[in-house]
Amino acid sequence: MNKHVSAKMNRRAFVIGTAAVGTGLAIGLDLPFGGPAVVRAADGSPEVNAWVVVRPDDTVVIRIARSEMGQGSLTGLAQLVAEELECDWSKVTTEYPTPGQSVARKRVWGDFSTGGSRGIRSSQDYVRKGGATARVMLIQAAADEWKVLASECTVEKGVITHKASGKTTTYGKVAETAAKLTPPADVKLKDPKDWTIAGKGLLRLDTTDKTTGTMVYGIDIKLPGMLNAAIKDCPVFGGKVKSFDEAKVAGMKGVQKVVKVGDSAVAVVADTWWHAKTALEALPIVWDEGDNAKVSSETIAKWLAEGLDDAQPAYVGNKNGDVKTAMAGAAKKIEAVYNYPYQNHATMEPMNATALYTADKCEVWCGTQNGEAAFAAVLEASGLPAEKCDVHKVMLGGGFGRRGMTDYVRQAVAIAKQMPGTPIKLLWSREEDMTHGRYHPVTQCKMTGAFDADNNLVALHYRLSGQSILFSVRPEALQNGMDPAAFQGVAQSGEAAFGYAVPNLLIEHSMRNPHVPPGFWRGVNVNHNAIYMECFMDELAHEAGQDPLAFRRKLMGNHPKHLAVLNAVAEKIGWDKPAPQGVYRGIAQVMGYGSYVAGAAEISVTDGSKIKVHRIVASTDPGYVVNPAQVERQIAGSFVYGLSALFYGGCTVKDGRIEQTNFDTFNSMRINEMPKVEAVMVPSGGFWGGVGEPTIGVAAPAVLNAYFAATGKRIRSVPLRDQNITFA
Amino acid sequence: MANLTINGKNFTLDVEPDTPLLWAIRENAGLTGTKYGCGIAQCGACSVHIDGVATRSCGVSISEAEGKKITTIEGLASGSTLHKVQQAWIAKDVPQCGYCQSGMIMAVAALLSEKPKPTDADIDEAITNICRCGTFQQVREAIHTIASA
Ligand code: FES
Ligand code: FES
């Protein structure tokens, strides 16, 4: 188990992890008195159940299967368990079970994947039950000891009391006995309105080590005898290594070995990473770049533009009425074409993984958003069975979707396999990371809106052309070839449903998949769909001569939750009152990841090209808010990420490769460019929505709509730097 | 061989003179709190103090750092008492993933030693670190909290 609250513990856990090879598991079965089996944690403390370990000193260790990458769900999940457990929050600590342990116990911890803003919403039910079940067992153990009814006992902050007899005990004292009890078949969860730990803006559990330099990220792993690897994958995606001249670098300082990794990459292994990287740069490599070397942003744009033509085949994602007939009979029509580029995740910590391979085991230490996917990658790359493999998760220096992929894990294992017995830490340079991402997909969109004589919107045609993530990443999720996720934010129903009622509607996708590998990038398809739809909604409102908020409201009568968050931002920003002199407003709304969100921005523009963002208001209805302080941070962070992409992002393709190589050409917002984000949380209950991603969708359209209000000019292409528009 | 003074300790390191200070700190001195983000002095993740000045250590060679007083995030606290910036970071729950925060904290500590009560404009000018998680508003708030203490 890798504990992440204290780095000291963390390092010790690594040592244990390495020493306890053979079993690979820190957990064992213990049959002390021939009674029922007690499962024990690494330090010998009893598991009340898989989620809860109670130490004799009353410390409660809560197991967290999902990964922490800054989004705060480690703390949020612990709050949910602690809430039901009724333990003392000041005595809570957390640890990650490993995927190997989970597989060995029939996936007792469920899904490890941490993407799609699902960390809390997809596991809240069973982790809360884990806490509640443990509470019932702990109370039962005390009641049994006192020979009273459990129903006569109460618990507060881990102290159990039997009022009639005046007896008290603590969780730490009864945990051994509780661990032997049969868990109750059913437990009742608390009504969220009675929460005292969950629902509160408690401080995160993982902060201190992040301020002292002691938090261990993948890049910081140290193992005895470890060597370091730097890697270069073919700059053109899909290309291969033809040859490389190892002799040229063999004598360079610290160099131990030059290895081919798969058929497309070469790595240098050296004593330090600096030596490995220096030698790699000096290594002559000949690539077989293949046909993809002819692809450029221009050829991609041309191909996508062809997909906007109605004559081309397309998948229909959302439809009602008859758009064609309605358009033909309309009093007035407008049309606009938008586009959105590739974006690199650019996590602050570049991709890395450390692997140790021997003939009978393979272990990996890395930051991953999906421990089980990384585990599967280790099995596949090592060729060893599950019981001989494991993945030790550490803190991620950012994820944003990138670390849900396992390419870097496979590479580390492929290198380690060529040096059995030697732990290898593979670290990508920033340049490798920028040019070998799994990019936000590239798309274009043509929208046509039609009005009747009274300026009512009677038809809307939304024709998307471009790349599908699922086609590349999860082809089994395609539905008769269609990528249902392509319609995120404009879907007929579900967790990313369209929020407007238009009598004649056609939303379709002409799928075109260039060779640049796409991936899930914070907000995923909501990013471009929200820009397209919400900016065009603004265009339609202006065409109809109506206020953008009033125009939207008329179409949202059947979507009260969408409307409620829109109204919340409008009220907070003071939409019905004039903006300050020289300041202009934009507004947007969307649904994604099960949450309803809206945003409004106030900006001023100098010389038509220098934008100052004065104010941002963002609203969300995620159903329930587990930690408002963290939700506020996720909302603000999503705007920094979304506006960085709008202003500075965009990855272009030339000769089949990505042109941007570092933060000098793929810049990111700084503190002087970012105003405070005023978060308005309006949780309406009854459903569980995500938090990390949804609000990113409204960041760009709110600012783009404000830019139109300020200048009368529409921007239909991202990033703004390509149009010489930047921050003031 | 190079002689460096890091956090008040002398290190004799087997490194070439053109090795970036960042990598000597991380790999040779073994102090991994200082992070690699870009290697081209753009992001600030590698910020340390050299003679009290916040400096991006990826852009400084060992030969330039010799004979100077280098402080990394591990040396910011006085014994077991955390530096006021670290304390404020904990009280205000600033970090998200935390990866940029060593550099952010070093930059802020240097700003505050020069300007104990920085204005928003001072902060905007001095703090140019990238934070992909977007912790800027907590950073600003925490700085003001320290300044008004
Ligand atoms: S690593 Fe030095 S500034 Fe980015
Ligand atoms: S806290 Fe993650 S990059 Fe700043």
Side-chain angles (χ1 to χ4, degrees), chain A residues 69-70 202-204 207-208 210-213 215 217 219-220 222 228 253 272-275 344-350 395-398 400 427-431 522 630 632-634 636-637 640-641 644 662-664 666-672 674-677, chain B residues 14-16 18-20 23 26-28 30-40 42-43 45 56 73-74 82 86 89-102 105 123-125 127-141 143:
Chain A
M69 50 190 153
L202 304 180
L203 292 177
R204 297 172 64 113
T207 298
T208 303
K210 292 175 178 173
T211 67
T212 55
M215 179 59 79
Y217 300 85
I219 195 174
D220 304 324
K222 287 175 202 153
N228 292 273
K253 188 151 187 214
T272 64
W273 186 77
W274 183 251
H275 284 150
N344 189 292
H345 296 82
T347 58
M348 213 62 225
E349 178 194 19
M395 186 62 65
L396 284 67
F400 312 120
L427 169 64
W428 289 16
S429 65
R430 175 58 65 193
E431 288 76 11
R522 192 178 195 172
Q630 291 311 315
E632 191 183 347
R633 283 160 177 74
Q634 284 308 295
V640 174
Y641 206 70
S644 289
N662 207 318
F663 287 118
D664 53 349
F666 189 85
N667 200 356
S668 197
M669 283 179 87
R670 312 299 159 108
I671 201 168
N672 65 322
M674 191 62 204
K676 183 173 162 36
V677 176
Chain B
D14 176 19
V15 286
E16 301 77 73
D18 61 349
T19 306
W23 294 103
R26 286 186 55 83
E27 301 199 290
N28 303 93
L31 297 167
T32 53
T34 304
K35 300 302 191 216
Y36 164 65
C38 68
I40 57 165
Q42 289 285 318
C43 74
R56 295 181 173 179
I73 186 75
E74 290 92 342
L82 294 182
Q86 293 169 311
W89 251 234
I90 294 166
K92 291 283 167 191
D93 228 7
V94 173
Q96 288 188 27
C97 83
Y99 191 81
C100 73
Q101 298 295 341
S102 296
I105 289 168
I123 294 170
D124 286 349
E125 198 188 305
I127 306 304
T128 56
N129 300 44
I130 293 177
C131 173
R132 292 290 285 165
C133 294
T135 60
F136 299 133
Q137 75 194 53
Q138 282 72 38
V139 167
R140 191 184 294 279
E141 198 185 316
I143 296 173

Side-chain angles (χ1 to χ4, degrees), chain A residues 292-314:
Chain A
N292 291 334
K294 295 181 197 136
V295 178
S296 67
S297 286
E298 290 70 32
T299 63
I300 294 172
K302 190 162 168 280
W303 189 35
L304 264 53
E306 286 163 16
L308 299 176
D309 184 341
D310 291 345
Q312 298 288 319

Side-chain angles (χ1 to χ4, degrees), chain A residues 96 144 235 254 261 288 297 309 337 352 362 374 382 399 401 441 451 509 540 548 560 606 720:
Chain A
Y96 283 150
D144 289 353
V261 186
D288 171 7
S297 286
D309 184 341
V337 176
N352 65 77
C362 186
S382 69
F451 297 94
H509 177 213
L540 291 168
T606 320
L720 299 183

Side-chain angles (χ1 to χ4, degrees), chain A residues 61-313:
Chain A
V61 184
I62 295 175
R63 265 71 175 272
I64 308 287
R66 314 271 177 167
S67 302
E68 178 61 45
M69 50 190 153
Q71 84 281 30
S73 62
L74 175 95
T75 304
L77 288 165
Q79 283 177 267
L80 288 172
V81 175
E83 179 67 55
E84 296 294 339
L85 184 57
E86 297 276 11
C87 62
D88 181 350
W89 179 250
S90 70
K91 292 179 181 152
V92 167
T93 180
T94 60
E95 67 182 9
Y96 283 150
T98 71
Q101 289 164 348
S102 192
V103 166
R105 293 174 67 181
K106 303 198 174 81
R107 293 189 80 216
V108 64
W109 287 288
D111 193 348
F112 278 54
S113 88
T114 317
S117 298
R118 263 191 299 269
I120 286 180
R121 65 187 171 118
S122 296
S123 53
Q124 53 81 19
D125 182 58
Y126 56 79
V127 304
R128 289 195 292 153
K129 280 186 182 140
T133 304
R135 182 195 71 234
V136 169
M137 293 162 78
L138 288 157
I139 294 174
Q140 188 65 53
D144 289 353
E145 192 187 311
W146 296 332
K147 303 197 170 33
V148 300
L149 288 173
S151 58
E152 292 168 3
C153 301
T154 57
V155 63
E156 207 187 320
K157 292 192 173 174
V159 178
I160 306 165
T161 304
H162 182 250
K163 208 165 172 202
S165 64
K167 285 185 173 134
T168 68
T169 188
T170 67
Y171 277 179
K173 296 199 179 84
V174 296
E176 277 291 340
T177 327
K180 290 177 199 135
L181 297 175
T182 308
D186 205 17
V187 284
K188 195 172 169 310
L189 298 179
K190 284 186 182 180
D191 186 324
K193 70 176 184 326
D194 300 326
W195 283 351
T196 58
I197 298 172
K200 302 283 176 281
L202 304 180
L203 292 177
R204 297 172 64 113
L205 294 169
D206 54 355
T207 298
T208 303
D209 287 353
K210 292 175 178 173
T211 67
T212 55
T214 41
M215 179 59 79
V216 174
Y217 300 85
I219 195 174
D220 304 324
I221 297 287
K222 287 175 202 153
L223 294 171
M226 184 180 82
L227 294 175
N228 292 273
I231 196 162
K232 245 188 214 176
D233 202 348
C234 183
V236 178
F237 306 103
K240 291 182 169 49
V241 176
K242 206 182 256 170
S243 64
F244 54 92
D245 189 357
E246 187 175 349
K248 282 267 185 345
V249 301
M252 286 179 74
K253 188 151 187 214
V255 172
Q256 303 275 327
K257 206 175 167 96
V258 182
V259 298
K260 200 171 159 195
V261 186
D263 58 6
S264 69
V266 182
V268 175
V269 180
D271 54 350
T272 64
W273 186 77
W274 183 251
H275 284 150
K277 180 190 182 263
T278 307
L280 182 64
E281 272 164 16
L283 179 71
I285 307 172
V286 182
W287 305 105
D288 171 7
E289 296 184 347
D291 274 355
N292 291 334
K294 295 181 197 136
V295 178
S296 67
S297 286
E298 290 70 32
T299 63
I300 294 172
K302 190 162 168 280
W303 189 35
L304 264 53
E306 286 163 16
L308 299 176
D309 184 341
D310 291 345
Q312 298 288 319

